[in-house]
Amino acid sequence: MRADIVLVRHAVPVYPYPGGPDDYHRPLTDAGLAQASALVDELAALRPDLIASSPYLRAVQTIEPLARALDLPVHTDHELREWDSGIGPTPDYVRYYEESWADPDFARPGAESLNQLTTRALKALAEFRGTVVIGSHGTFISRVLAGLGLAVDWPFSRDMPSPAVYRICDQGIAGPGI
């Protein structure tokens, strides 16, 4: 990786529910929008060359205040999206996530395994150069960190705060809980 990558887990979103907005269209809550604005000074101090994001609305909304402050566009990339788990909005999603973390090669029909996500995520990040701030998601970030050799597990991913900032650079990896 020849970049200083700053992965920003989205701020607090509207939680999924049956019949609610799909993953691409779930927005931030009012509290989440305030959290996104509160990130601007910290992220602007890194002087990013590029701002990129998952195409999911909650990720884009989290870094839009930074983009406005720096007068930079937000470049969305489908490869930066969250894990395609194959799990719909269900109250017992935790059980399914635990099962997937216990066997990262397992994929539900038509979905991707956690190991496939890791491969996709690391490949996408390898394309960046310079200092890049990326609006992202908890499982995506967790699998990047696991792919870089950190001992990241389901409890780490489950307990990741929203928002959370993880910086990956030549000096190492920094972020909450690392």
Side-chain angles (χ1 to χ4, degrees):
M1 207 176 300
R2 289 181 274 162
D4 187 356
I5 302 287
V6 181
L7 295 170
V8 181
R9 183 184 188 197
H10 58 76
V12 175
V14 169
Y15 287 97
Y17 57 92
D22 66 17
D23 247 1
Y24 280 91
H25 299 97
R26 276 195 304 120
L28 296 179
T29 63
D30 289 342
L33 292 169
Q35 289 173 324
S37 293
L39 289 172
V40 171
D41 289 342
E42 174 187 355
L43 297 174
L46 300 172
R47 299 177 47 197
D49 302 301
L50 177 71
I51 299 174
S53 181
S54 155
Y56 293 8
L57 181 59
R58 61 192 181 275
V60 173
Q61 286 181 318
T62 299
I63 58 168
E64 278 181 327
L66 172 68
R68 280 192 303 273
L70 298 177
D71 197 29
L72 290 172
V74 175
H75 298 274
T76 59
D77 183 341
H78 185 69
E79 296 304 303
L80 300 173
R81 72 191 182 281
E82 179 59 300
W83 174 40
D84 180 8
S85 67
I87 302 167
T90 176
D92 62 346
Y93 79 93
V94 170
R95 176 175 63 92
Y96 296 115
Y97 274 62
E98 287 174 340
E99 290 171 358
S100 292
W101 277 89
D103 180 6
D105 287 316
F106 172 74
R108 286 165 190 80
E112 69 184 338
S113 72
L114 287 173
N115 280 339
Q116 288 170 322
L117 168 59
T118 302
T119 300
R120 170 173 56 87
L122 292 175
K123 182 179 177 188
L125 296 184
E127 300 297 317
F128 291 111
R129 302 292 178 263
T131 300
V132 183
V133 172
I134 299 172
S136 193
H137 307 275
T139 308
F140 182 97
I141 293 170
S142 295
R143 295 310 299 181
V144 166
L145 299 175
L148 294 174
L150 279 102
V152 172
D153 57 9
W154 164 239
F156 177 94
S157 185
R158 177 195 62 217
D159 297 338
M160 186 184 296
S162 286
V165 177
Y166 294 85
R167 187 172 181 184
I168 304 166
C169 60
D170 291 337
Q171 292 77 32
I173 303 170
I178 293 180

